[in-house]
Structures are given as C-alpha cells and as structure tokens.
Amino acid sequence: QVQLLQSGGGVVQAGGSLRLSCVASGRTFKTPGMGWFRDFPGREREFVTAIDWDDGKTYYINSVKGRFTVSRDAAKNTVYLQMNSLKPEDTATYYCASRFAVNSGSYYNRHAYEYWGQGTQVTVSS
C-alpha cells in the first residue's frame, strides 16, 4: 500500500531554481533507491537522476549534471530534487519513483521502478 506524494512544482524563469519533494507513505517502507524521471510531450519517459538509499550514491544524465542535485532523508522516507540554472528545455512533468526491492535492472530503466508519484509540472519560461 505504498504511495509516493510529490510537491514543489511550478513556473520559473530561465536561470531560476525549484525544489521538488517526494515522500513515501508507510511505516515499513523500504527501498534500495529512488529516482526522478520526466515526461516531454511526444517523447518516452526520460530518466533524470537516481540515488541509492544505503550509501547515497547518485547518478545523473549529462544534461543536468552540475545543475540538479538529488538527495534523500531516509528517516523521513523522502527524496528531493534541487533544480538550479533551469532551462526552457527542462520543462516537463516530473515523476519520482521507488525501485523494486529485488534488483530488476539498471537505475536508468523505468521498468526497474515499482512505485510512482503522481507527477508535478515544471515550467521554465524563456
């Protein structure tokens, strides 16, 4: 009965910042890692970043390296996405997700994730 609840989207000018949050419900929630994906109109869902839960190791696509930072607060079952220096091409619907307990694929593969947030819109104006 796990649910992921997202918050923090909005509209920002190019060069601005936004911080997304994603909190998982359930006192017994456990995850090997969580990630962020985004949907562009007319494109398949794109991996953005992920974080391993135990050691905090992070992964990023090249287009967001140096601009986005993923972090987690394990005690709060929460993952964050800090987005700085936003560009119009970052405009998308962003989703957080939690990986399957058993290794089911690479962290960048959406099929490796079991639970998904409801999505939140990020719009960057030029």
Side-chain angles (χ1 to χ4, degrees):
Q1 307 300 323
V2 173
Q3 293 183 327
L4 305 183
L5 181 61
Q6 300 180 217
S7 62
V11 181
V12 66
Q13 292 184 331
S17 299
L18 285 172
R19 181 178 173 88
L20 306 184
S21 298
C22 172
V23 59
S25 65
R27 294 175 57 188
T28 61
F29 174 78
K30 296 180 180 179
T31 181
M34 298 186 72
W36 292 92
F37 292 74
R38 60 189 179 186
D39 283 354
F40 301 107
R43 293 184 59 183
E44 295 182 354
R45 185 161 295 182
E46 179 187 62
F47 170 78
V48 180
T49 182
I51 184 167
D52 292 340
W53 216 247
D54 287 340
D55 61 11
K57 185 176 181 180
T58 56
Y59 312 86
Y60 300 91
I61 57 174
N62 288 335
S63 62
V64 307
K65 287 182 179 178
R67 301 190 299 119
F68 290 11
T69 302
V70 63
S71 61
R72 90 288 198 232
D73 186 336
K76 297 180 179 179
N77 293 330
T78 302
V79 63
Y80 304 96
L81 181 60
Q82 179 67 45
M83 302 183 291
N84 299 326
S85 301
L86 282 162
K87 304 175 180 180
E89 51 261 46
D90 295 316
T91 295
T93 303
Y94 285 73
Y95 297 86
C96 65
S98 179
R99 289 175 58 87
F100 284 97
V102 177
N103 188 359
S104 59
S106 299
Y107 55 84
Y108 54 81
N109 186 345
R110 64 185 176 90
H111 297 294
Y113 293 81
E114 181 177 17
Y115 302 109
W116 293 84
Q118 81 278 16
T120 186
Q121 179 66 33
V122 171
T123 301
V124 184
S125 62
S126 60

